[in-house]
């Protein structure tokens, strides 16, 4: 009696494990992307993003009144004068060679 239970459990276990692994495989595999295709895709996405940002910036400026636009331009010029290109710490900027 005990042998019958063991054999039936083993048969059931082996049968279920085989059925569990028998899954359908996809018929058509997608073609692998080449590096050039990936680069072209990324460039297209980047270009679309940049165009969208430029459009959004123009709309943002268009919505401002004249005084606000003037103030924004003034602040932009001031920021460019004081902090543009200063992503290098001050102590590195002091001791590097000057471009002539």
């Amino acid at each position: 009696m005990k042998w019958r239970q063991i054999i039936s459990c083993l048969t059931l276990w082996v049968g279920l494990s085989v059925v569990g692994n028998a899954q359908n495989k996809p018929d058509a595999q997608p073609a692998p992307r080449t590096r050039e295709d990936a680069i072209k895709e990324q460039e297209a996405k980047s270009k679309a993003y940049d165009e969208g940002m430029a459009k959004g910036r123009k709309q943002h400026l268009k919505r401002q009144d004249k005084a606000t636009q003037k103030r924004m331009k003034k602040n932009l010029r001031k920021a460019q004068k004081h902090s543009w290109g200063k992503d290098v710490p001050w102590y590195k900027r002091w001791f590097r060679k000057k471009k002539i």
Side-chain angles (χ1 to χ4, degrees), residues 39-57:
I39 290 171
K40 285 179 186 177
E41 247 181 69
Q42 185 63 32
E43 286 175 353
K45 283 182 184 178
S46 175
K47 185 177 180 183
Y49 177 78
D50 290 342
E51 288 173 356
M53 289 295 286
K55 183 180 176 186
R57 185 171 287 123

Side-chain angles (χ1 to χ4, degrees), residues 25-77:
K25 298 198 187 251
D27 293 333
Q29 297 266 342
R33 285 185 359 173
T34 62
R35 185 173 181 184
E36 291 80 21
D37 292 341
I39 290 171
K40 285 179 186 177
E41 247 181 69
Q42 185 63 32
E43 286 175 353
K45 283 182 184 178
S46 175
K47 185 177 180 183
Y49 177 78
D50 290 342
E51 288 173 356
M53 289 295 286
K55 183 180 176 186
R57 185 171 287 123
K58 284 180 185 176
Q59 286 178 349
H60 173 70
L61 290 173
K62 191 176 179 182
R63 289 185 191 125
Q64 311 303 323
D65 61 343
K66 190 160 180 120
T68 307
Q69 286 181 9
K70 219 172 168 181
R71 191 171 61 246
M72 288 170 70
K73 284 182 185 178
K74 180 181 172 185
N75 287 334
L76 178 64
R77 278 192 227 111

